[in-house]
Structures are given as structure tokens and as C-alpha cells.
Amino acid sequence: MALKHKLILASGSPRRVDLLHQAGIEPARLMPMDIDEAPKKSEHPRSLARRLSAEKSEAAFAAVKGDVAWQGSYILAADTVVAVGRRILPKAEFVDEASSALHLLSGRSHVVYTGISLITPDRKLRQKVVETKVRFKRLSSKDIDMYLASGQWRGKAGAYGIQGLAGSFVQKLIGSYTNVVGLPLYETMLLLAGEGFDVYAEWQEG
């Protein structure tokens, strides 16, 4: 039975690990999955988040299914997508991408979608997509230039991380804050608990 409490996180994101730690959960293994994250033609951002999270969890499952040590594990994956309307903003890798994204987000609202996928020990796939509406203040040229200089945009969906300096850009947020960080904790815990994972195993003092 102890094996059923192992959780594999199909991600290498420090933010997702930190959020799970915040909820008292220690993943037994981190398995970042290298998949093609490009959206399909006319794919809705919500559908993209759902699909990519499923593909990550399924890739991790395929990688461990023959390993007896990991049989009976839960496999959790997530993917976060930032969009203005139906326009999906990529995970910024270059300064010009980040600059373009920040100019687009300036003074307007956008939606952050996170798809979470859980493969249970009996090989069922459970999914949830959570969305949060975020409005940025109007960004000055200095705001953008200094944020680009900080480097905190690298690898982030929408070219920002709300838990860092860009938190000061947020004028209004409707929905889950942890969703914008990268893993909606309420929905994740609900999903895990609903499938029999002991979310309180590490809560006892000492």
C-alpha cells in the first residue's frame, strides 16, 4: 500500500515543487518531460493546457510503467498557458519575445489557464483546467526595460512570473493565485484526495 502514496511530478519546475511543498506534499520523483508544446492550428488556449498536461503525464507513465519500483504511483503533470483572447503567448526564451509579450499585456486583462492531469495507480486519467483572470497596470518603458534586465521572464509563460518582481504589475486578479504561479493548489489537492492519495501524510508535526 505504501507504493500507492508515491507521487511522481512530471515537471522540473521549481515553482510547482515549491507549491506542492507548501501543501505538505513531497514528490517522490521529478520527471520533466520534453514534449512539443506548440499549439495546433486554431487550438483554444484552454484546450492546449489540457492537452499538454495530459501528454506530459502520459509520457511520464510510459517511462516508468515497466519499473516495478514505481508501480502503484500517482503521476501528476501540469501545463500553464497565458492568453490574450485566443492569442497564446509563448514561454519567452528571447528578449524580443518577452518585450513583445509585456507590451501586449500592458494595461489590459489576460487569462492564465493551467491544465492538471493525474494518472492514478489504476491507470485512469483525471483532468482539470483552472483559469484565472489577471489585469496588468499600464507598464511604462522603464517598467518593461527593468523587468527585462532582471531576467525573471526567462522560460515563463507570458514572459512573467507573478511570484517575483512582476507581482507589482498586477492591478487585479480574479481566481486562483497559485494557478498563475503554475499549479492551482486547491484543485490539485482536490484531485489527489478524490483519487485516494493521502494529502495529509506529511502534515503531522515532527
Side-chain angles (χ1 to χ4, degrees):
M1 292 296 292
L3 285 175
K4 289 200 171 184
H5 295 297
K6 285 186 178 179
L7 177 68
I8 296 171
L9 178 63
S11 172
S13 165
R15 296 171 298 282
R16 292 191 177 118
V17 174
D18 287 346
L19 285 166
L20 285 175
H21 286 167
Q22 182 182 327
I25 294 176
E26 178 67 53
R29 183 173 179 179
L30 302 182
M31 292 187 66
M33 293 290 106
D34 185 17
I35 65 168
D36 182 2
E37 298 190 6
K40 295 180 180 178
K41 187 177 180 180
S42 302
E43 188 170 24
H44 191 280
R46 182 183 183 90
S47 300
L48 177 64
R50 177 185 291 273
R51 177 174 65 81
L52 294 182
S53 69
E55 289 181 3
K56 289 177 182 179
S57 65
E58 288 161 356
F61 175 76
V64 301
K65 67 178 180 181
D67 190 338
V68 175
W70 297 100
Q71 286 180 4
S73 297
Y74 292 80
I75 299 176
L76 178 68
D79 192 85
T80 300
V81 174
V82 174
V84 176
R86 291 182 65 103
R87 179 175 174 181
I88 296 167
L89 302 186
K91 290 183 174 70
E93 301 295 341
F94 303 102
V95 172
D96 57 344
E97 289 178 327
S99 177
S100 176
L102 292 169
H103 278 95
L104 181 64
L105 296 175
S106 175
R108 68 194 304 175
S109 295
H110 60 276
V111 179
V112 179
Y113 301 86
T114 299
I116 47 177
S117 292
L118 179 71
I119 295 180
T120 67
D122 56 0
R123 302 187 177 188
K124 293 178 182 174
L125 175 64
R126 303 297 190 206
Q127 290 190 278
K128 177 80 176 174
V129 180
V130 180
E131 58 184 87
T132 302
K133 189 174 183 179
V134 182
R135 183 177 180 84
F136 270 18
K137 70 172 188 175
R138 189 166 298 282
L139 303 177
S140 68
S141 295
K142 187 172 184 179
D143 288 331
I144 293 173
D145 290 345
M146 296 306 291
Y147 189 68
L148 291 174
S150 77
Q152 290 191 7
W153 50 269
R154 285 192 177 88
K156 304 286 200 316
Y160 78 94
I162 195 171
Q163 72 281 4
L165 297 170
S168 64
F169 298 162
V170 177
Q171 194 174 56
K172 189 175 184 180
L173 184 149
I174 302 172
S176 166
Y177 171 82
T178 55
N179 179 50
V180 185
V181 179
L183 188 70
L185 277 185
Y186 168 75
E187 291 82 2
T188 300
M189 297 289 275
L190 202 62
L191 196 60
L192 285 166
E195 295 301 326
F197 183 85
D198 185 1
V199 297
Y200 305 113
E202 304 297 325
W203 280 32
Q204 293 83 357
E205 188 174 356

